[in-house]
């Protein structure tokens, strides 16, 4: 008799965004003429930058001719892209990262979800609350938690991110081995200063722990004093892995391209207490389970670093940030407390009532879809997230409708 991995049975009924989709579908069915504006899921709405499209076309044409055709590429990614990343995303900011420490993949979701496979089943895991659900669910699937009770999985250390700590969690009071951090944060839009991030790096060094730093929203940072990478922090190379994605920085959510940075010194320990480097193990995993991102997609990603590509991506991000500013101004006018928008495409709003009730209110009265904060963890109860990923016209219309609905 084949037995199931029972850890999967602990997972909460459905993924947050499926719950939202079901409610929106039911509303649309009941109100077929109502136009719904989606400021919920963090999917981009604007076209790919022209430089990426041109590179994409050129690469497709190369595949049309035997002499320039390419089959399987290197699992870790083509050197042209890894070198461009090392130079532009890290060395240009004084972070010492080389091309062979970069692994190209088809998404930060897969990478942040898969990385935990490298660590022992009894690793003590610290996860922020509220959180991007992937970190949590993949650790549940791997059996690192007990049952779900009272809004939380037993056996995890939750890092509360609340108004009291300005949405930057404090160091844990109990020992942990694996720490997930995400800045600029999804869902709160909060950021971390260099000094605060240094305390986490120092903690990881002192406790032989490892930080998994998700920087998927790095390109939204406007405040020049903020770190873009954990590798801008002294000592991070031994104790951190960083995840980046072209999804939000260049509109690649459907195109799929991301990368993970694992410095050569970065290590965990075997049961005898010996240091084991992570880079060769991730390389082994990547080559066993992944066959690389397609050549045209990697050429399109490379174009992000051309002069035109940089300018076009900046314009794309600025457009979303201006939407975020409009949302923040409207929310302020309505008298709600909020965080985010300044360096992120999200606005995290204290709605003063149950998150799902407020979600239903916005959907039913304004035809606007938000994301209920409770779906991101217990600390998200009483909050909603509005996303800036939509057209200016839709954002302006949604804000007018929200103002009218709450008047
Ligand atoms: N990490 C965070 C914090 C995210 O919010 C998202 C997507 O919303 C991802 C990772 C996933 O990115 P990708 O599209 O590269 O899988």
């Amino acid at each position: 008799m084949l037995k199931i991995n029972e850890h999967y049975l602990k997972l909460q009924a459905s993924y947050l965004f499926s719950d939202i989709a079901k409610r929106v579908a039911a509303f649309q069915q009941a109100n077929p003429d109502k136009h719904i504006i989606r400021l919920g899921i963090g999917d981009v709405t604007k076209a790919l930058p022209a430089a990426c499209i041109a590179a994409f076309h050129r690469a497709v044409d190369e595949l049309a001719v035997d002499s320039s055709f390419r089959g399987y590429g290197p699992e870790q990614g083509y050197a042209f892209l890894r070198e461009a990343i090392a130079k532009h995303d890290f060395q240009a900011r004084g972070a010492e990262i080389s091309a062979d420490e970069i692994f190209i993949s088809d998404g930060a979701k897969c990478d942040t979800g898969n990385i935990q496979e490298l660590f022992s089943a009894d690793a003590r895991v610290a996860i922020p609350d509220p959180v991007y659900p992937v970190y949590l669910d993949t650790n549940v699937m791997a059996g690192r938690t007990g049952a779900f009770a009272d809004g939380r999985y037993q056996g995890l250390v939750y890092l509360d991110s609340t108004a009291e700590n300005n949405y930057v969690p404090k160091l844990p009071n109990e020992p942990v081995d694996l720490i997930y951090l995400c800045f600029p944060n999804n869902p709160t839009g909060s950021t971390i200063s260099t000094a605060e991030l240094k305390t986490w790096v120092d903690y990881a060094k002192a406790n032989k722990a490892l930080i998994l730093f998700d920087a998927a929203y790095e390109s939204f940072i406007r405040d020049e004093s903020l770190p873009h990478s954990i590798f801008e922090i002294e000592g991070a190379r031994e104790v951190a892995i960083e995840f980046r994605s072209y999804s939000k920085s260049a509109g690649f959510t459907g195109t799929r391209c991301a990368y993970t940075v694992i410095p050569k010194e970065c290590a965990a320990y075997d049961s005898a207490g010996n240091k084991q480097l992570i880079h060769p193990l991730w390389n082994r995993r990547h080559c066993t389970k992944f066959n690389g991102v397609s050549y045209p997609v990697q050429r399109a990603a490379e174009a992000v670093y051309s002069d035109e590509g940089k300018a076009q991506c900046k314009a794309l991000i600025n457009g979303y940030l201006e939407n975020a500013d409009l949302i923040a101004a409207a929310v302020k006018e309505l008298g709600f407390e909020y965080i985010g928008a300044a360096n992120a495409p999200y606005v995290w709003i204290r709605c003063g009532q149950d998150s799902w009730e407020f979600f239903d209110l916005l959907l039913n009265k304004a035809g606007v879809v938000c994301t209920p904060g409770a779906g991101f963890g217990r600390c998200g109860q009483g909050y909603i997230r509005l996303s800036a990923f939509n057209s200016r016209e839709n954002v302006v219309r949604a804000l007018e409708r929200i103002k009218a609905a709450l008047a």
Side-chain angles (χ1 to χ4, degrees):
M1 181 176 67
L2 176 64
K3 291 202 180 139
I4 206 78
N5 173 357
E6 291 197 13
H7 301 305
Y8 273 66
L9 307 179
K10 296 177 202 159
L11 289 165
Q12 289 315 286
S14 65
Y15 189 62
L16 168 64
F17 294 105
S18 335
D19 282 350
I20 294 175
K22 275 187 214 142
R23 289 194 193 211
V24 174
F27 175 79
Q28 190 74 89
Q29 206 175 8
N31 304 274
D33 301 329
K34 188 100 186 170
H35 171 243
I36 294 174
I37 303 178
R38 290 162 207 274
L39 299 183
I41 194 164
D43 194 2
V44 296
T45 53
K46 294 224 166 263
L48 291 174
C52 298
I53 289 292
F56 223 144
H57 279 297
R58 281 195 302 271
V60 170
D61 287 342
E62 281 181 56
L63 300 183
V65 184
D66 286 350
S67 59
S68 52
F69 170 78
R70 297 180 189 232
Y72 288 124
E75 288 95 339
Q76 302 84 350
Y78 283 102
F80 61 77
L81 179 55
R82 299 169 87 198
E83 281 161 13
I85 291 168
K87 181 173 165 205
H88 295 275
D89 285 347
F90 296 96
Q91 292 158 10
R93 293 195 57 84
E96 210 193 301
I97 293 295
S98 59
D100 61 356
E101 293 174 319
I102 293 160
F103 294 86
I104 309 298
S105 80
D106 60 355
K109 184 189 226 178
C110 325
D111 289 351
T112 54
N114 290 330
I115 194 81
Q116 49 74 31
E117 277 184 25
L118 298 192
F119 310 110
S120 68
D122 62 356
R124 295 164 298 186
V125 183
I127 292 194
D129 180 353
V131 73
Y132 173 57
V134 172
Y135 320 148
L136 191 61
D137 287 355
T138 52
N139 276 289
V140 175
M141 291 169 179
R144 288 196 190 86
T145 74
F148 189 77
D150 200 17
R152 288 190 161 178
Y153 289 99
Q154 287 157 357
L156 286 180
V157 173
Y158 283 88
L159 303 171
D160 289 359
S161 310
T162 60
E164 286 64 47
N165 55 27
N166 208 24
Y167 304 93
V168 177
K170 292 206 180 76
L171 296 176
N173 306 320
E174 51 199 303
V176 297
D177 307 309
L178 192 60
I179 301 156
Y180 288 80
L181 293 178
C182 172
F183 290 103
N185 187 263
N186 176 14
T188 68
S190 64
T191 53
I192 192 163
S193 69
T194 300
E196 286 165 330
L197 194 50
K198 175 88 167 61
T199 65
W200 282 97
V201 169
D202 292 345
Y203 172 91
K205 283 180 102 162
N207 292 279
K208 294 187 170 168
L210 181 77
I211 300 171
L212 300 175
F213 190 74
D214 187 343
Y217 297 96
E218 164 278 333
S219 54
F220 290 82
I221 294 176
R222 282 188 276 199
D223 177 347
E224 270 315 306
S225 71
L226 296 172
H228 286 238
S229 165
I230 195 164
F231 301 118
E232 290 172 37
I233 311 297
E234 198 197 325
R237 284 181 56 86
E238 290 148 53
V239 293
I241 290 176
E242 181 164 310
F243 305 92
R244 295 266 188 113
S245 171
Y246 296 99
S247 281
K248 315 297 159 83
S249 62
F252 275 49
T253 53
T255 309
R256 310 306 301 146
C257 197
Y259 66 86
T260 289
V261 186
I262 308 186
K264 297 274 177 61
E265 298 92 309
C266 189
Y269 298 82
D270 63 22
S271 46
N274 301 313
K275 226 180 201 187
Q276 297 293 341
L277 297 176
I278 295 172
H279 186 284
L281 299 182
W282 183 250
N283 189 51
R284 187 73 173 78
R285 188 217 174 267
H286 209 62
C287 294
T288 303
K289 295 194 176 182
F290 186 65
N291 243 343
V293 172
S294 79
Y295 174 69
V297 168
Q298 293 193 59
R299 280 293 185 199
E302 180 196 23
V304 162
Y305 302 103
S306 64
D307 289 345
E308 316 84 76
K310 277 185 189 164
Q312 290 158 6
C313 288
K314 193 160 190 207
L316 197 64
I317 303 282
N318 283 345
Y320 292 129
L321 283 169
E322 285 161 19
N323 286 348
D325 287 340
L326 290 173
I327 297 171
V331 162
K332 195 171 170 189
E333 196 185 315
L334 285 165
F336 292 105
E337 272 176 50
Y338 73 93
I339 184 162
N343 300 284
Y346 299 122
V347 188
W348 185 245
I349 302 156
R350 194 199 283 260
C351 59
Q353 58 179 286
D354 177 82
S355 298
W356 280 103
E357 275 176 21
F358 199 74
F359 169 91
D360 286 335
L361 185 146
L362 288 191
L363 180 61
N364 294 319
K365 283 190 142 187
V368 173
V369 181
C370 67
T371 313
F376 295 105
R378 204 159 76 182
C379 292
Q381 181 52 275
Y383 288 81
I384 58 147
R385 186 192 74 177
L386 285 180
S387 150
F389 291 122
N390 215 314
S391 65
R392 180 65 40 83
E393 191 193 358
N394 273 343
V395 168
V396 168
R397 247 211 292 177
L399 295 173
E400 279 164 7
R401 289 202 210 158
I402 292 174
K403 282 184 199 169
L406 299 180

